[in-house]
């Protein structure tokens, strides 16, 4: 599966190591991620999600690269298959910053992926879709965590 170190203009991520990998993603995908993050801010439900101090401390201790690795692992194990186990209930509401970000970005289940992002059910996610989902999650985390 393709892996990009996802950082997005306008969302406060300034790490030079991340920037060198941004070229891997198309400008269109970065624009789509930024547009989607802006749209999610207008959702009363999605905009309620916040990182706790414990989540922010965890991010600071582990680093964004590790959090991104966790995001890839969670997405691949919980929602990437054609028929995820317990779909609609597989993402906890707390316990890891990625889980909070998944709910905030409507990437918590295949139903939300369809409703918000028009990513279809009944088939595995493509590598590009996984990168998009992880990009949304990491973009949201970067906006809501200490820099």
């Amino acid at each position: 599966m393709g892996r990009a170190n996802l950082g997005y203009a306008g969302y406060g991520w300034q790490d030079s190591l991340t920037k060198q990998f941004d070229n891997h993603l198309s400008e269109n995908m970065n624009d789509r991620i930024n547009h989607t993050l802006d749209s999610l801010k207008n959702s009363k439900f999605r905009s309620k999600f916040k990182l706790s101090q414990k989540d922010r401390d965890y991010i600071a201790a582990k680093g964004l690269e590790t959090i991104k690795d966790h995001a890839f692992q969670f997405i691949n194990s919980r929602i990437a298959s054609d028929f995820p186990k317990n779909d609609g209930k597989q993402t906890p509401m707390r316990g890891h910053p990625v889980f909070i970000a998944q709910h905030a970005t409507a990437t918590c289940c295949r139903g939300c992926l369809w409703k918000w992002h028009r990513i279809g059910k009944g088939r595995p996610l493509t590598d590009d879709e996984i990168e998009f989902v992880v990009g949304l999650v990491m973009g949201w985390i970067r906006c809501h965590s200490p820099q």
Side-chain angles (χ1 to χ4, degrees):
M1 244 169 245
R3 295 281 316 260
N5 195 337
L6 306 167
Y8 303 99
Y11 285 92
W13 186 242
Q14 302 299 319
D15 184 77
S16 62
L17 180 61
T18 297
K19 286 181 181 180
Q20 76 183 12
F21 290 100
D22 280 343
N23 294 332
H24 171 77
L25 295 177
S26 70
E27 189 172 318
N28 186 38
M29 179 156 332
N30 278 326
D31 289 344
R32 182 177 175 204
I33 289 168
N34 287 332
H35 174 63
T36 303
L37 288 170
D38 284 339
S39 296
L40 288 162
K41 290 177 188 176
N42 297 322
S43 166
K44 186 175 181 179
F45 177 74
R46 301 289 167 194
S47 64
K48 287 191 295 188
F49 290 96
K50 308 286 185 228
L51 292 172
S52 68
Q53 186 59 49
K54 183 177 178 181
D55 292 327
R56 290 190 299 275
D57 291 345
Y58 183 81
I59 292 165
K62 295 293 184 181
L64 288 173
E65 190 63 29
T66 298
I67 301 301
K68 181 177 55 98
D69 288 342
H70 294 170
F72 270 103
Q73 291 169 11
F74 293 145
I75 299 308
N76 280 308
S77 67
R78 293 173 182 262
I79 67 169
S81 71
D82 48 357
F83 296 100
K85 184 179 177 184
N86 299 321
D87 196 29
K89 298 177 183 176
Q90 73 269 42
T91 304
M93 296 296 274
R94 62 182 175 269
H96 196 286
V98 170
F99 299 152
I100 306 305
Q102 282 185 266
H103 289 292
T105 60
T107 58
C108 45
C109 68
R110 295 304 288 266
C112 290
L113 281 173
W114 170 248
K115 180 179 177 181
W116 277 87
H117 311 295
R118 292 299 185 238
I119 295 174
K121 296 180 177 186
R123 61 168 181 76
L125 296 180
T126 67
D127 287 350
D128 284 345
E129 290 166 338
I130 291 169
E131 292 224 14
F132 172 73
V133 168
V134 172
L136 279 175
V137 166
M138 292 308 298
W140 187 89
I141 287 173
R142 287 181 181 114
C143 289
H144 293 85
S145 64
Q147 299 299 314

